[in-house]
Amino acid sequence: NTSLSYLFLNNNNVGDEGVKSLADVLRVNTSLSYLFLNNNNVGDEGVKSLADVLRVNTSLSYLFLNNNNVGDEGVKSLADALRVNNSLTNLSLNRNNVGDEGVKSLADALRVNTSLKYLSLSISDPTMPSPRKELNEGVKGLINVLRINTTLKRLYLCGHRIGDEGAKLMADVLKVNKSLDSLDLGQNNIGDEGAKALADALNVNNSIKELYWSSSGRTQNKI
């Protein structure tokens, strides 16, 4: 098929074997741009097969893998692919099993990747408590890479519990980053000190149009 550009397979229990079969097709397909595989019991093995495809596929731009079982190994394989892929613009991995090492690998990939514009790594539902307790090194690395990455426009990190420390770090980054326009820091245990630092950064930053940091919804700070 040379016309299919959008494939929506959410909630179908595709699993790793199903994704591997799909990956075989994507190696030769040149038309598919949007692939949605949310809530499909996909784990590291399935994602590794997709990562292999991303090394050669030049049409896929949207990949959504929310609510699956993707861990650090799967994310590392995606990160490696992002070092050479220049077509993927949107990657969503919300509510998987991504740990510190997986986030670190994505941060490293963003040092060289020039195509990704949207990255979502939220680990909790905005209405539910976060499973994380404190800021980790992976998220620190991801925040810091925004000092040099000039492509990413939207970053969603709901539930990572970055606290005031992470908020201050992000505020420092926002003073120099000129590309990010939407940032979700909801469910991150940000207190008054962190909120003040972010607010001060917005007095300098001219690119952010949407910033979320409260646990109850959107906090509009700049339009």
Side-chain angles (χ1 to χ4, degrees):
N1 186 293
T2 58
S3 62
L4 187 69
S5 61
Y6 185 107
L7 186 56
F8 187 92
L9 291 171
N10 293 348
N11 309 309
N12 274 293
N13 198 30
V14 172
D16 285 343
E17 292 305 314
V19 171
K20 288 179 182 178
S21 297
L22 181 60
D24 288 339
V25 174
L26 291 177
R27 291 181 186 278
V28 295
N29 178 280
T30 58
S31 64
L32 195 70
S33 296
Y34 298 79
L35 178 57
F36 292 81
L37 289 166
N38 301 328
N39 196 29
N40 267 300
N41 196 32
V42 179
D44 286 343
E45 292 305 311
V47 169
K48 285 178 182 179
S49 66
L50 288 175
D52 287 342
V53 167
L54 288 175
R55 294 177 179 274
V56 296
N57 180 284
T58 59
S59 64
L60 196 66
S61 57
Y62 284 67
L63 178 58
F64 280 67
L65 288 161
N66 301 325
N67 300 310
N68 281 292
N69 300 313
V70 184
D72 284 345
E73 292 305 311
V75 173
K76 285 179 182 179
S77 65
L78 285 175
D80 286 343
L82 287 175
R83 292 178 178 273
V84 296
N85 177 281
N86 57 15
S87 65
L88 197 71
T89 61
N90 289 250
L91 176 61
S92 189
L93 291 162
N94 296 333
R95 292 177 294 280
N96 277 280
N97 300 317
V98 185
D100 200 25
E101 292 303 314
V103 179
K104 281 182 182 178
S105 67
L106 286 173
D108 288 342
L110 288 177
R111 292 181 177 275
V112 296
N113 178 277
T114 58
S115 65
L116 200 67
K117 296 180 179 179
Y118 171 105
L119 177 61
S120 191
L121 287 170
S122 295
I123 58 174
S124 66
D125 186 300
T127 63
M128 299 295 290
S130 169
R132 287 271 171 85
K133 299 301 181 184
E134 59 184 9
L135 178 66
N136 63 41
E137 293 301 316
V139 176
K140 282 184 182 178
L142 187 58
I143 293 173
N144 275 319
V145 80
L146 296 176
R147 298 179 189 274
I148 58 174
N149 179 284
T150 59
T151 308
L152 200 69
K153 292 186 176 296
R154 297 189 173 193
L155 178 61
Y156 298 152
L157 293 172
C158 180
H160 282 270
R161 292 298 188 197
I162 68 171
D164 285 342
E165 179 189 358
K168 290 177 181 178
L169 180 61
M170 181 65 80
D172 286 342
V173 168
L174 291 180
K175 291 176 182 178
V176 297
N177 179 283
K178 306 301 181 185
S179 59
L180 207 65
D181 63 35
S182 183
L183 177 62
D184 185 352
L185 297 176
Q187 292 287 342
N188 267 294
N189 199 29
I190 297 172
D192 291 344
E193 289 186 17
K196 183 180 185 302
L198 288 169
D200 288 344
L202 292 179
N203 290 325
V204 178
N205 180 287
N206 292 314
S207 64
I208 290 287
K209 294 179 174 60
E210 294 180 327
L211 175 58
Y212 307 75
W213 75 55
S214 74
S215 60
S216 58
R218 172 187 286 185
T219 298
Q220 176 180 310
N221 293 286
K222 205 163 197 179
I223 295 295

